[in-house]
Amino acid sequence: MIARITPTVVAICILFVSTRANAQAAPPAAHQDVAFDFMNLLSQHGLHDLDDERWNAYGQFTYISSWKLPFHAPYTNANGSINSLLPNYERSFTATFTLFFGAKLWRGGEAYFVPELISERGLSQLRGIGGAIQNFELQKTGSEIPQIYRARLFYRQMIDLGGDHLVGDSNPMQLGRILNRRRLVFTIGNFTVLDVFDHNSVTWDPRQTFFNMAFMTHASWDFAADARGYSVGSAAEFYWDDWALRIGRMAPPQHPNVLPLDFKIWEHYADVIEVEHDHVLFGQPGAVRLLGYRNYEVTGKFADAIAAYKADPKKNAASCTSYNYGSENFSAPDLCWVRKPNAKLGIGINLEQSVARDVGLFARAMYSDGQTEVDAFNSADRDFSFGAVAKGTLWRRPFDVAGVGIGLSWISAIHAQYLNMGGVDGFIGDGHLNQAAEGVFDVFYSVNILKAIWLAADYQFLWNPGFNADRGPVHILGAKIHAEF
């Protein structure tokens, strides 16, 4: 009962706060979230300096509901495997409430604290979809009982190196200040790697754009995180006019897709490097980002699991005695028998380009080696996504947002062989496999109401769920309420 009441109660509170505010929310900007203008209101009364903030505070509430329609599936969870997307009608939801606090400590030094509450229910217990999970807010260990936790607690130090000035707008996790285009930025603490890497100003905050996780970042980037998507680590950024270089190291989970982190970051870690170049093409801004990663984590290799099973059939999925996913398939290999420190590598590209006022195109592609199981994100080994997002300026609704995108993902040959033998990984495993690319078509429209509140409708067409051509296609309908203050 608590889980059902809480999202409604929070939504009513947000509506009450928003309708009583005096200032109109600003339209979505390219590199910032749309936040309710409370800080502006303080500034107007001389209580706050938005150009040189000592502190700021923001918040958001998002409720997403998804309805999966029944679909065709000749088999489900064959031979005791457990990770199929169930073919019957299902409803999924997430409700998140987040507060963002920032404070200036000294020249260039800033601290941020972000508590968050979530209540959720995944489709088929978040099983059966590889690279196109229908709701980006879903967490591996979530429940319908609301849980509050510390999402972020980190320190950021900026060192100005000169060059032209930029206006750093007041935003969640960004104090308002004047920046130099040449600067160093250091971040250390508890945050998500997506706070620093793989930004895209077309898709920007997923809470304002696409519902599907395929458009949040590279589907095959197995970035280090706990089961909620956060980690502990550090990052360094170097900005020089139109160029940027970023490097970082984050702590992986103790076991794949679990909540506790492995803090021996000198032994097991996830490294990432990104190079960015901003440009102007036909008078419109754009950017190109190249990202590479190397994980060294305790995971299992698919080839090793297959070899162990063939050498001794007693080393099967159902007889695992160490950390495993709970498969009851006695005739399948399992990664539990072969986990040890392994390296995983990948490289990707992220493109964005404005083509008109408030209209942008985006594309992402990544190739990961596909030899080891997913440790922290999802099951894809390669991905390609593209699409367009437009704000409602063209049709005189400047606060509305609309978008359409296609996300494709693949698995490696050895990953497919493991699944075809009945193996499972953190998200997928039907017991058999007719290998194919998994894909999703996602279209949404978000209408702005009551200043800083948006209502959105979404349709997703998902084919080959779990990279299995024997199952699907799947139709998923979605609705979202999102408020910022």
Side-chain angles (χ1 to χ4, degrees), residues 48 72 83 180 192 196 202 243 252 277 286 346 374 417-418 443-444:
H48 195 77
H72 171 72
N83 277 354
N180 287 337
T192 170
V196 178
V202 177
W243 291 89
H277 182 256
V374 55
Q417 181 183 349
Y418 170 81
V443 58
F444 75 91

Side-chain angles (χ1 to χ4, degrees), residues 58-224:
Y58 292 95
Q60 74 84 32
F61 170 79
T62 303
Y63 183 81
I64 300 174
S65 193
S66 302
W67 296 268
K68 173 177 66 66
L69 305 183
F71 66 92
H72 171 72
Y75 54 86
T76 297
N77 290 330
N79 299 320
S81 297
I82 57 166
N83 277 354
S84 289
L85 183 68
L86 301 179
N88 54 289
Y89 167 85
E90 286 187 284
R91 176 178 172 265
S92 167
F93 75 86
T94 57
T96 59
F97 180 76
T98 316
L99 297 175
F100 304 87
F101 301 101
K104 182 177 180 180
L105 303 180
W106 45 74
R107 181 179 177 86
E110 303 166 356
Y112 294 89
F113 173 55
V114 182
E116 188 164 77
L117 179 145
I118 187 169
S119 171
E120 67 168 81
R121 180 202 303 158
L123 296 178
S124 306
Q125 297 182 315
L126 203 54
R127 297 170 176 172
I129 302 177
I133 295 171
Q134 87 287 349
N135 179 347
F136 67 91
E137 292 265 49
L138 285 164
Q139 300 176 359
K140 187 65 174 175
T141 59
S143 72
E144 296 186 34
I145 299 174
Q147 301 176 25
I148 188 168
Y149 56 92
R150 185 194 69 226
R152 300 172 176 92
L153 178 61
F154 64 90
Y155 170 74
R156 179 188 295 149
Q157 178 67 51
M158 297 189 212
I159 301 174
D160 292 332
L161 301 177
D164 296 336
H165 287 168
L166 297 172
V167 177
D169 295 311
S170 175
N171 266 295
M173 298 190 299
Q174 179 176 294
L175 295 176
R177 57 164 289 181
I178 301 300
L179 302 172
N180 287 337
R181 295 192 69 196
R182 299 176 180 179
R183 64 190 185 278
L184 287 169
V185 182
F186 299 96
T187 304
I188 187 168
N190 169 206
F191 57 99
T192 170
V193 70
L194 300 182
D195 290 338
V196 178
F197 297 89
D198 197 44
H199 290 180
N200 190 296
S201 65
V202 177
T203 56
W204 91 96
D205 180 1
R207 287 171 173 147
Q208 284 277 15
T209 57
F210 293 100
F211 286 36
N212 197 283
M213 196 178 290
F215 306 102
M216 182 176 71
T217 185
H218 297 283
S220 60
W221 179 18
D222 195 10
F223 62 88

Side-chain angles (χ1 to χ4, degrees), residues 382-411:
R382 288 101 205 207
D383 68 83
F384 175 53
S385 63
F386 62 96
V389 175
K391 296 159 191 171
T393 307
L394 294 176
W395 52 94
R396 299 183 181 179
R397 295 279 307 175
F399 301 98
D400 291 3
V401 187
V404 59
I406 293 177
L408 301 169
S409 55
W410 299 263
I411 53 175

Side-chain angles (χ1 to χ4, degrees), residues 435-459:
Q435 185 183 2
E438 183 184 271
V440 62
F441 170 81
D442 189 352
V443 58
F444 75 91
Y445 190 92
S446 179
V447 59
N448 178 246
I449 61 171
L450 296 175
K451 300 180 179 178
I453 300 176
W454 288 260
L455 292 177
D458 178 79
Y459 168 70

